[in-house]
Amino acid sequence: MTHNAIENYPELQSQMAEWPSFLDKALTPTALIGKRIVVTGAGDGIGKALAKSLACFGADVILLGRTRTKLEAVFDWIKQHTPTDPVIVPCDLAQLDTDTVSALAESISSHYGNLQGLVHCASMLGPKIPLVHYPADQWQTVMQTNVNAVFMLNQGLFDLLDQGDPGCVLHVSSSVGIQGRAYWGAYSASKFALEGLSQILADETETAGKIRVYSVNPGGTRTAMRREAYPLEDPQTLPIPEKHMGLFLFLLVGSLVPDLIKRPLPATGAQIDARKWLA
Ligand SMILES: NC(=O)c1ccc[n+]([C@@H]2O[C@H](COP(=O)([O-])OP(=O)(O)OC[C@H]3O[C@@H](n4cnc5c(N)ncnc54)[C@H](OP(=O)(O)O)[C@@H]3O)[C@@H](O)[C@H]2O)c1
């Protein structure tokens, strides 16, 4: 496949050789034209890779994140290399409230008219210390960012997602959201809660059949958060965020443009381990 944007994204291009052929055939530069997708944590790591990748395949991406300069860098790359229409939404999810979510929904509605995807990549690690020493204020901040903000965004953007087109909500989770681990404190508890949110929303939307909901565990990935969690680890031993883009694109393109992907999607509500997807 030739594509200007992808030619300017060598980290993604290097991973595409490993994609199954059904995906490579489906993913033309126009695959996601007219699809609007919110990506939280879009300024760095997995969210940044996903925002750029979605734009490479035609989606208009709403780039939500904490640090304006990081979001602007992603915005500039997308504008330079793709014909899509991104917007940036600087937002500290630790401070998110329902009024802010309503204002976001209104601005998405007036700018784009609708929304098809919502991907929750943003999260914070918090301290890695025993529960008995865990500071209550940091517990609250991690839970607010990793769980409460996800609940508020899913709730406040739901009507926009539920306007008739197929939709998709992805929750980026973690192994410590499936099996608790000492010293992972609020981060681990927040990912258990995120798995619950994902399954509940999937169950509540399954009968209508328009919105698919998944949790995705990327496993160890070369990002700032991983460095914070494992400062002594050699980052070169870890996959880059773009390694996971085949899976994210499979789930999003498969959900939003079902005719393009000639492969059944996992059932809505599934917990997906990115490391097993291509195995
Ligand atoms: N990397 C791994 O090994 C790994 C493993 C399992 C699961 N995960 C999950 O993968 C997802 C992406 O993480 P990553 O590894 O890509 O980490 P990352 O590079 O550190 O990115 C995290 C993103 O979340 C944003 N963020 C953090 N707190 C925020 C807040 N209060 N408000 C708004 N945005 C906030 C950050 O914004 P700023 O940069 O502006 O602070 C950043 O863009 C997370 O949900 C993480 O739990 C990662």
Side-chain angles (χ1 to χ4, degrees), residues 45-46 66-67 70 91-93 121 123 173 187 191 221 223:
I46 294 167
R66 184 165 47 181
T67 309
K70 290 184 181 182
C91 173
D92 181 355
L93 294 173
C121 292
S123 83
S173 188
Y187 178 83
K191 294 298 189 182
T221 307
T223 68

Side-chain angles (χ1 to χ4, degrees), residues 55-247:
C56 284
F57 295 104
D60 298 323
V61 186
I62 297 121
L63 308 158
L64 189 152
R66 184 165 47 181
T67 309
R68 177 182 280 275
T69 50
K70 290 184 181 182
L71 297 173
E72 285 171 349
V74 178
F75 176 93
D76 289 346
W77 187 94
I78 291 174
K79 288 298 272 185
Q80 186 181 351
H81 297 297
T82 80
T84 67
D85 179 21
V87 294
I88 62 168
V89 182
C91 173
D92 181 355
L93 294 173
Q95 308 295 330
L96 192 73
D97 56 26
T98 52
D99 288 346
T100 310
V101 177
S102 298
L104 174 62
E106 271 176 41
S107 61
I108 292 172
S109 179
S110 64
H111 188 80
Y112 296 115
N114 51 28
L115 181 71
Q116 287 76 33
L118 173 53
V119 186
H120 298 280
C121 292
S123 83
M124 57 180 297
L125 185 63
K128 276 182 74 188
I129 51 178
L131 285 176
V132 288
H133 300 307
Y134 208 99
D137 59 338
Q138 295 192 55
W139 181 277
Q140 303 269 17
T141 305
V142 172
M143 296 304 274
Q144 165 68 18
T145 304
N146 297 4
V147 182
N148 300 350
V150 173
F151 158 71
M152 282 187 268
L153 287 168
N154 283 352
Q155 185 183 64
L157 300 181
F158 187 80
D159 285 350
L160 279 176
L161 278 169
D162 195 33
Q163 287 190 357
D165 288 347
C168 183
V169 180
L170 299 183
H171 302 93
V172 181
S173 188
S174 166
S175 305
V176 296
I178 295 163
Q179 174 65 53
R181 200 179 301 161
Y183 315 131
W184 285 74
Y187 178 83
S188 177
S190 75
K191 294 298 189 182
F192 272 87
L194 188 74
E195 296 286 353
L197 279 181
S198 186
Q199 290 171 26
I200 294 164
L201 185 62
D203 206 32
E204 289 173 353
T205 52
E206 187 173 12
T207 305
K210 286 187 298 187
I211 298 175
R212 289 178 168 273
V213 185
Y214 299 106
S215 74
V216 176
N217 170 16
T221 307
R222 200 184 309 167
T223 68
M225 182 185 286
R226 180 74 185 189
R227 272 196 306 283
E228 189 186 343
Y230 295 96
L232 301 180
E233 182 179 55
D234 177 2
Q236 297 305 319
T237 61
L238 296 167
I240 58 175
E242 287 77 9
K243 171 93 177 167
H244 310 310
M245 293 305 117
L247 171 60

